[in-house]
Amino acid sequence: MTRRTLLIAANWKMNPAPAGFDAADSPFRKDGDIDVFVFPASLDIAKCVSAGIITGGQCGRRESSGAFTGDVSMTMLKAAGCASVLCGHSERRKFHGETDQAVGEQVKAAIDAGLTPIACVGETLSEREEGKTFDVVKKQISSLPPEISIIAYEPVWAIGTGKSATAAQAQEVHAYIRTLLKNPCRIIYGGSLNVANAKELLSQPDIDGGLIGGASLKIEEFHSIVNTARTLK
Ligand code: 13P
């Protein structure tokens, strides 16, 4: 089987764009062999788009406009030049109360707007310890429309903790997620992915890339993860 094209995505969260992000040799630019997406803070979307970077929103509302102070819509992201959007990142679920149903509606609105959404799923530490990982991701995925083409498995306990899932733990959940999907889909891993663990994680047969937070803010580190991915294409 030919390998699905690897996708390496940077989620800068609520941080400024790293210095040099728009340089000619920036690792945030699409590489011939692999896909690279960047998810900046909303205020930095325009400068990423004008730098020719494949850009996405970190969240978007399903309504196209209206009285929703502080929000941006999927159609606005598209009009601003975005290609993608994150839906249901665990930080949105936690700090903004986004439910599985709301995430499913966002994904549908994103597709309707012409964006490629990345739906984020993943269990908390207590859910894993209680043996509920598969149940949790199954429920999260059951709310998504079948057209979803990229899912990020991000175990909540691995995000920003420096404690990545092992390659075996991640592969197990990715393979399970694949059994739940009707259509072909890329399934990328997120949660303390870094230079040291990138090769092993990205070599797993059901891991089609990474969604990277902390290490994407360090341009050298991100560069070396992109280079690793390129060798595995
Ligand atoms: P870290 O890479 O900082 O753990 O963040 C992962 C993440 O949340 C990407 O969306």
Side-chain angles (χ1 to χ4, degrees):
M1 188 189 84
T2 35
R3 189 144 198 199
R4 291 169 284 272
T5 304
L6 284 172
L7 166 61
I8 303 297
N11 177 6
W12 291 341
K13 308 194 179 186
M14 198 175 72
N15 294 291
F21 80 94
D22 53 353
D25 61 349
S26 159
F28 298 111
R29 297 187 183 285
K30 180 180 162 51
D31 183 276
D33 296 329
I34 62 167
D35 289 333
V36 180
F37 291 4
V38 173
F39 296 88
S42 293
L43 289 174
D44 287 336
I45 286 174
K47 63 184 185 189
C48 289
V49 169
S50 25
I53 287 167
I54 299 176
T55 305
Q58 293 179 6
C59 61
R61 261 197 105 83
R62 76 184 159 92
E63 297 85 353
S64 52
S65 61
F68 301 105
T69 302
D71 284 341
V72 294
S73 68
M74 298 300 178
T75 49
M76 286 170 163
L77 291 173
K78 178 69 181 174
C82 284
S84 181
V85 62
L86 300 179
C87 296
H89 190 282
S90 65
E91 288 149 18
R92 299 292 306 176
R93 294 177 189 261
K94 180 174 174 193
F95 299 122
H96 295 266
E98 292 186 2
T99 61
D100 291 341
Q101 188 193 333
V103 174
E105 289 167 358
Q106 288 168 21
V107 167
K108 179 162 188 326
I111 294 170
D112 290 347
L115 297 166
T116 300
I118 300 182
C120 305
V121 301
E123 80 288 1
T124 62
L125 183 59
S126 59
E127 288 164 343
R128 173 161 281 265
E129 286 173 349
E130 288 164 28
K132 294 184 184 154
T133 298
F134 283 9
D135 293 343
V136 170
V137 298
K138 184 176 187 182
K139 182 165 171 298
Q140 290 168 330
I141 284 170
S142 69
S143 306
L144 303 176
E147 299 80 24
I148 186 75
S149 61
I150 311 178
I151 286 176
Y153 169 58
E154 299 205 298
V156 178
W157 49 271
I159 295 178
T161 58
K163 188 178 182 300
S164 160
T166 64
Q169 284 172 323
Q171 165 59 25
E172 181 186 36
V173 182
H174 281 233
Y176 174 68
I177 291 173
R178 212 174 289 289
T179 67
L180 303 173
L181 303 168
K182 292 191 189 73
N183 294 349
C185 191
R186 282 190 283 183
I187 307 171
I188 64 176
Y189 170 80
S192 298
L193 202 156
N194 58 37
V195 177
N197 59 26
K199 185 166 186 196
E200 205 191 348
L201 284 162
L202 298 175
S203 304
Q204 302 303 309
D206 287 295
I207 299 185
D208 306 319
L211 180 54
I212 303 167
S216 76
L217 293 166
K218 298 174 196 140
I219 206 158
E220 293 308 322
E221 219 167 296
F222 191 75
H223 214 144
S224 102
I225 295 170
V226 167
N227 284 340
T228 299
R230 204 187 285 138
T231 65
L232 301 170
K233 66 174 163 59

